[in-house]
Amino acid sequence: MAWKYPPTRREDVAETLHGVQVPDPYRWLEKVDDPEVQTWMDGQDAFARQHLQDLPYRTELVERFKQLFYLDTIGAPIHRGNRYFYSRRHADKEKVIVYWKEGREGGERILFDPNTWSDDGSVSLGGWNVTHDGVRVAYSVRENNSDEATMHVKEVATDQKSDIDTIAGAKYAHASWTPTGDGFYYTWLPVDPSIPTADRPGYAEIRYHALGTDPRQDRLVRERTQDPTTFIDAELSRDGHWLILSVSHGWNATDVYYRDMRSGDETFHPLVVGRDARYSVWVWKDVFYILTNQDAPNERLMRAEPGRLAVDQWRDIVPENPDAKLEGFAIVGGRLALTWLHHASSKLEIRELDGTKVRDVDMPGLGSVSGLLGNEDEDEAYFGFDSFTVPREIHQTSVATGKTTLWFKLKIPVDPSPYVAEQVFFPSKDGTRLSMFIVRRQDQKLDGTAPMLLNGYGGFLVSMLPHFDPSLYPWLERGGACAVVNLRGGGEYGEAWHQDGMLLKKQNVFDDFVASAEYLISKGYTSASKLVIEGGSNGGLLMGAALTQRPDLFRVVLCAVPLLDMVRYHLFGSGKTWISEYGSADDGEQFQALHGYSPYHHVRDGAQYPAVLMLSADSDDRVDPMHARKFAAALQHASQGGPVLLRIEKHAGHGGADLIKASVEKLADEYAFALWQLSGK
């Protein structure tokens, strides 16, 4: 079938970079404020929805997703002072509501109900931080669920929002409160349209806000880095003794500084600076606990005391484990709670503050653990658990005794019993051993006939773990199978695994993904004509690379909020903060690697590309939607294969529209599109 897409003009635009001519016929689509681009977007979205709305199975998929997403669920409580704070989703509401109680048995009262904040649901709640005594809360409000935010403060008991304590430029902000709750430290970002979007991260600075004062007069604590590739953050220890400043150089290195707040010295002293390693610091009772990959690709936990803070004076309390990655830690109930990853599954361990092992926390099986939630000096704590076939559970535990009880279990209208989740291992192109989870019916025949949904990410230390995803079940219930592959670039197997999938080695990620598809086909789990791949953000880049490098291997591609023009990505959105991960076309060697796989630059005229559903968001201020626009235009012009549709979510940021109904409609479109293409009709 010849698809009559909305017209898109091509321009004879090219530039020469490092001696290479780089055509860019759709550069005009970068200018989102241009009326012509807006008209083009409206036409593309209308064209996509016209074809999606009447697809077979779509109506019944919408109804099934409603059953799976409109549910009653609750989050683990946070204890502050005499009050408990928790989130709850109601089956008849679009957005999560945050509640609080006075004491454990107090009556439930609303803290935030974003369902009432706007008629169209476009205003969302961002992060929120309660004072240590539970009296006040600082919280962020986001328009269109974008990253950009405004911070507010209100009294918990009276629900009275302050007219004075309103802080614009809270895109990266969270409130680190003083012990008395009279002010907080936060990251401030100027809201100035004259500053290029891609340069704004370099303008971030640390400020202190005293309650009841004009935020425009907030005290500067740490000046801007003037480096848009960095992030800056500050945390005040719970006792107010230590202010810890972190400057993150992408996802690869951290500089850490400290200030003793009792000394009167306002200088930030270097704890560790200029090393090619990451550091995460938690200070408790004047002791520094430091999680780091310094000389430890699988991470280790170290300890340092005032007067002995030089790096060579730190000492290991939890050495590196060559067989498992130390994913994170917390201090709860006067002990260390450690989260480990072993072959992309979690386990939770309790140790004394000197590193002496106390016990493992019993898990219901192989799956994912959310870590231990609690206070440093309180015995009561909570952890979450789920897996592909076990819906989310929250367990309450005693740090002192280990006694654990089931506190909450998600009730969801699915029967996981016919399905099995298995983990397989196989070689990539260069022989590297990969792991992958496969979820399927236990009685499924491995004859290549099952529709397969393959998901991957491969970047920024993100670990793809066995989580319960209700959206998979409509696919499984139709005889399909699902797979999640652990690609290099992720965090499942430590820093060496991450580095093998970044910068000049990014092609390894795409080779790994191709190897996973070939494995599924060779073992009879599916066939190329039944294989659907999906990914978003960095995973959207993966989708673009997979379909341009091996279009013969996949039938359908679901590509969401992606990066696809890797030559110019750093000029848009938050792109400069990712240079440490991808590299920059300004560097000759890195340009060769980026241009070598950049999906937008490898669309070939006349190729038989898979069917593509591109999912974009109109208010995505993290990954600029120009990527989706330019790539969709290029594919529509070039492809002799399946259709290429560009669906644009309104009032939505990088994470979507923050409305259940929007998620239901989007998922129904994705699955209906894939099933339509697999049916061959």
Side-chain angles (χ1 to χ4, degrees):
M1 161 179 187
W3 285 80
K4 296 183 178 180
Y5 300 110
T8 305
R9 63 182 174 87
R10 289 170 60 88
E11 294 183 339
D12 186 17
V13 174
E15 61 183 324
T16 300
L17 297 172
H18 307 287
V20 178
Q21 189 176 47
V22 183
D24 192 359
Y26 300 107
R27 182 170 293 187
W28 66 275
L29 284 172
E30 295 175 352
K31 302 173 183 177
V32 68
D33 294 331
D34 189 320
E36 182 185 9
V37 176
Q38 288 289 325
T39 299
W40 183 89
M41 290 168 59
D42 291 342
Q44 287 285 339
D45 185 53
F47 181 81
R49 291 177 187 270
Q50 171 192 342
H51 289 280
L52 292 168
Q53 65 184 0
D54 295 324
L55 288 178
Y57 307 114
R58 189 184 185 282
T59 299
E60 59 190 83
L61 282 166
V62 166
E63 293 307 310
R64 184 63 175 128
F65 282 126
K66 286 180 178 178
Q67 295 170 359
L68 295 171
F69 281 84
Y70 284 102
L71 298 170
D72 290 314
T73 183
I74 190 170
I78 298 170
H79 187 205
R80 297 290 183 267
N82 192 43
R83 293 169 176 167
Y84 289 82
F85 301 82
Y86 54 93
S87 60
R88 183 190 292 275
R89 185 181 288 283
H90 297 271
D92 60 347
K93 300 290 184 183
E94 289 293 327
K95 296 173 181 273
V96 168
I97 299 174
V98 180
Y99 292 93
W100 68 280
K101 289 182 178 182
E102 193 73 58
R104 190 186 304 277
E105 304 303 325
E108 188 173 73
R109 299 173 63 179
I110 292 175
L111 185 64
F112 305 115
D113 183 2
N115 296 282
T116 66
W117 289 358
S118 58
D119 292 336
D120 59 3
S122 61
V123 181
S124 301
L125 174 66
W128 49 279
N129 302 97
V130 184
T131 55
H132 299 293
D133 58 9
V135 172
R136 299 179 186 89
V137 58
Y139 61 101
S140 295
V141 176
R142 304 180 185 276
E143 298 284 344
N144 298 326
N145 204 32
S146 64
D147 290 347
E148 203 67 52
T150 300
M151 183 179 283
H152 303 274
V153 176
K154 73 175 180 179
E155 300 285 331
V156 171
T158 64
D159 200 41
Q160 185 67 42
K161 183 174 77 171
S162 168
D163 293 329
I164 299 175
D165 305 291
T166 298
I167 303 172
K171 182 175 184 177
Y172 300 134
H174 73 278
S176 185
W177 287 97
T178 61
T180 56
D182 59 351
F184 55 82
Y185 296 86
Y186 68 100
T187 304
W188 179 80
L189 194 65
V191 182
D192 182 349
S194 69
I195 301 173
T197 300
D199 291 336
R200 283 184 73 210
Y203 286 78
E205 56 192 42
I206 303 299
R207 292 185 170 189
Y208 174 75
H209 177 67
L211 289 187
T213 65
D214 185 347
R216 291 173 296 182
Q217 306 302 318
D218 282 353
R219 176 163 52 90
L220 177 66
V221 176
R222 174 58 154 80
E223 67 277 6
R224 66 189 62 166
T225 66
Q226 300 184 10
D227 180 355
T229 69
T230 61
F231 295 100
I232 188 169
D233 182 53
E235 290 285 344
L236 185 66
S237 62
R238 182 175 161 184
D239 56 15
H241 291 179
W242 301 92
L243 184 63
I244 303 298
L245 173 75
S246 299
V247 181
S248 299
H249 301 270
W251 281 254
N252 306 317
T254 319
D255 294 332
V256 183
Y257 303 81
Y258 66 89
R259 179 187 292 178
D260 186 342
M261 304 300 285
R262 298 160 294 183
S263 68
D265 179 5
E266 295 191 352
T267 303
F268 275 110
H269 299 277
L271 180 68
V272 56
V273 175
R275 299 202 175 208
D276 189 19
R278 294 184 307 276
Y279 303 87
S280 177
V281 179
W282 189 317
V283 185
W284 175 242
K285 292 186 176 180
D286 291 332
V287 177
F288 287 54
Y289 298 87
I290 307 153
L291 179 67
T292 180
N293 67 337
Q294 175 190 311
D295 302 320
N298 277 353
E299 309 276 349
R300 57 177 169 163
L301 189 62
M302 307 185 76
R303 174 173 169 152
E305 290 84 21
R308 298 182 59 82
L309 292 178
V311 175
D312 59 2
Q313 295 176 311
W314 302 358
R315 59 186 180 87
D316 276 345
I317 53 175
V318 182
E320 181 187 22
N321 183 341
D323 297 321
K325 178 191 174 186
L326 182 54
E327 183 79 344
F329 81 103
I331 299 175
V332 184
R335 284 175 166 167
L336 296 171
L338 308 175
T339 305
W340 296 90
L341 279 185
H342 179 67
H343 291 312
S345 291
S346 305
K347 76 171 186 175
L348 191 59
E349 182 184 64
I350 303 296
R351 296 197 183 206
E352 300 292 0
L353 293 179
D354 63 2
T356 303
K357 183 169 179 177
V358 177
R359 64 178 173 276
D360 293 323
V361 178
D362 290 336
M363 294 291 120
L366 291 178
S368 301
V369 178
S370 62
L372 208 59
L373 179 65
N375 291 326
E376 293 97 332
D377 55 355
E378 293 181 1
D379 182 54
E380 176 187 355
Y382 299 83
F383 66 89
F385 174 86
D386 67 320
S387 71
F388 289 115
T389 56
V390 177
R392 187 170 66 91
E393 302 175 351
I394 298 176
H395 298 261
Q396 181 178 337
T397 187
S398 163
V399 178
T401 68
K403 181 181 178 182
T404 299
T405 57
L406 181 64
W407 188 79
F408 171 80
K409 183 176 179 64
L410 178 64
K411 295 179 180 178
I412 190 165
V414 297
D415 177 13
S417 62
Y419 307 103
V420 62
E422 57 185 321
Q423 188 176 39
V424 297
F425 298 88
F426 56 96
S428 186
K429 178 180 179 180
D430 62 0
T432 298
R433 188 174 187 244
L434 306 175
S435 61
M436 179 165 57
F437 297 102
I438 301 172
V439 187
R440 61 183 178 88
R441 284 191 64 91
Q442 297 183 50
D443 58 359
Q444 179 184 312
K445 295 180 179 179
L446 301 185
D447 58 4
T449 61
M452 173 64 75
L453 194 62
L454 172 61
N455 184 280
Y457 190 81
F460 296 95
L461 280 168
V462 172
S463 297
M464 300 293 282
L465 306 181
H467 287 294
F468 186 84
D469 183 354
S471 71
L472 297 180
Y473 278 82
W475 186 267
L476 295 169
E477 290 163 356
R478 283 169 170 76
C482 307
V484 176
V485 59
N486 304 123
L487 305 169
R488 280 176 284 185
E492 298 91 344
Y493 297 101
E495 180 58 24
W497 189 256
H498 172 220
Q499 291 189 10
D500 273 351
M502 55 181 278
L503 294 174
L504 304 182
K505 297 181 179 180
K506 187 66 178 178
Q507 181 60 41
N508 285 339
V509 180
F510 314 136
D511 291 342
D512 290 355
F513 192 72
V514 166
S516 70
E518 292 175 334
Y519 176 87
L520 292 169
I521 293 168
S522 69
K523 297 299 182 181
Y525 287 100
T526 191
S527 60
S529 63
K530 295 289 186 180
L531 185 52
V532 179
I533 58 174
E534 63 172 353
S537 193
N538 174 73
L541 166 61
L542 173 64
M543 297 300 102
L547 80 91
T548 51
Q549 293 184 18
R550 286 297 305 272
D552 60 303
L553 203 54
F554 317 107
R555 182 68 185 88
V556 180
V557 179
L558 306 174
C559 182
V561 291
L563 291 92
L564 296 162
D565 181 348
M566 298 307 292
V567 172
R568 290 173 60 79
Y569 84 90
H570 62 300
L571 304 177
F572 298 88
S574 299
K576 288 185 178 179
T577 64
W578 311 323
I579 287 176
S580 65
E581 184 81 10
Y582 297 128
S584 166
D586 295 336
D587 177 278
E589 187 179 20
Q590 292 175 356
F591 163 77
Q592 294 295 336
L594 289 162
H595 187 248
Y597 68 75
S598 178
Y600 172 63
H601 299 95
H602 287 272
V603 176
R604 294 180 288 108
D605 284 353
Q608 292 280 336
Y609 288 114
V612 178
L613 177 58
M614 191 76 60
L615 301 130
S616 185
D618 68 347
S619 299
D620 188 346
D621 54 353
R622 194 179 312 174
V623 177
D624 195 294
M626 71 89 177
H627 290 275
R629 295 194 294 268
K630 291 172 67 173
F631 192 65
L635 280 178
Q636 287 179 353
H637 170 79
S639 180
Q640 297 299 308
V644 178
L645 303 182
L646 174 59
R647 182 189 189 275
I648 303 173
E649 190 77 59
K650 301 294 193 297
H651 305 301
H654 193 64
D658 189 34
L659 295 168
I660 294 178
K661 62 183 178 183
S663 296
V664 165
E665 294 290 326
K666 181 176 74 72
L667 285 164
D669 282 345
E670 291 183 70
Y671 280 26
F673 180 81
L675 292 170
W676 167 50
Q677 287 298 306
L678 296 186
S679 70
K681 296 179 181 178

